[in-house]
Amino acid sequence: MDFDLTSRRLQSVEYSNLTKNRTEAVKTNDTGTSFQEQLTKLQKEAKEDLSFSKHAVRRLEERNIEMNDGLMDDLRNAVSEAKKKGAKDVAVIGRQGIFIVNVPNNVVVTTMAEDDMRNKTLTNIDSAVFM
């Protein structure tokens, strides 16, 4: 089988035009923002949301601390206030217990129930927020 170099070149040009148009389509969507901008925005939002370490989840289960929407909102607000004040590691203290939160990473590191709070010393925190 012989290859026609001319047609191959034309196919090549058509292919490059196709990929160029496709790349431009990926760069913008209906709102005019690039995929990278959207990805960065989603990553930022995910970082800003409060998460729990495996240790904290285990402590919640062991200590029968029930997480609900109201408690999560209270925790988010407390962490937000601590962040505004420049806190790094905060003890958020409430009726349900104490939540130790690493503020820069928005991660609940551990929790303590009301029973665990008696005769305990908290270390490695720089702030406390009461909720």
Side-chain angles (χ1 to χ4, degrees):
M1 225 183 203
D2 286 332
F3 289 105
D4 184 6
L5 292 177
T6 308
S7 68
R8 189 164 180 174
R9 221 177 260 152
L10 287 175
Q11 287 175 354
S12 222
V13 170
E14 289 173 6
Y15 179 76
S16 70
N17 286 340
L18 176 65
T19 57
K20 180 181 174 188
N21 292 339
R22 194 173 200 194
T23 304
E24 289 171 0
V26 169
K27 284 184 183 175
T28 59
N29 59 15
D30 294 339
T31 61
T33 58
S34 72
F35 176 78
Q36 183 62 42
E37 288 169 339
Q38 289 179 355
L39 181 62
T40 303
K41 180 182 173 187
L42 287 173
Q43 287 173 332
K44 183 180 177 187
E45 288 173 2
K47 254 188 184 177
E48 290 174 357
D49 197 22
L50 196 60
S51 62
F52 289 77
S53 68
K54 288 179 184 179
H55 176 78
V57 170
R58 192 169 52 244
R59 293 291 182 250
L60 285 171
E61 291 170 355
E62 289 172 0
R63 294 168 177 160
N64 295 320
I65 300 172
E66 186 177 327
M67 290 302 298
N68 56 38
D69 291 338
L71 180 56
M72 275 302 293
D73 288 341
D74 290 345
L75 272 172
R76 284 187 192 109
N77 292 335
V79 172
S80 176
E81 289 299 315
K83 186 179 282 190
K84 288 177 188 175
K85 303 282 183 175
K88 301 293 181 212
D89 292 292
V90 65
V92 179
I93 303 167
R95 290 185 312 250
Q96 298 85 353
I98 297 177
F99 300 85
I100 307 299
V101 182
N102 179 275
V103 176
N105 295 321
N106 281 337
V107 176
V108 177
V109 178
T110 192
T111 62
M112 295 164 55
E114 186 178 348
D115 297 339
D116 298 326
M117 291 189 255
R118 292 185 180 84
N119 300 321
K120 296 290 182 179
T121 303
L122 298 176
T123 60
N124 298 328
I125 63 168
D126 58 18
S127 304
V129 177
F130 297 93
M131 59 173 186

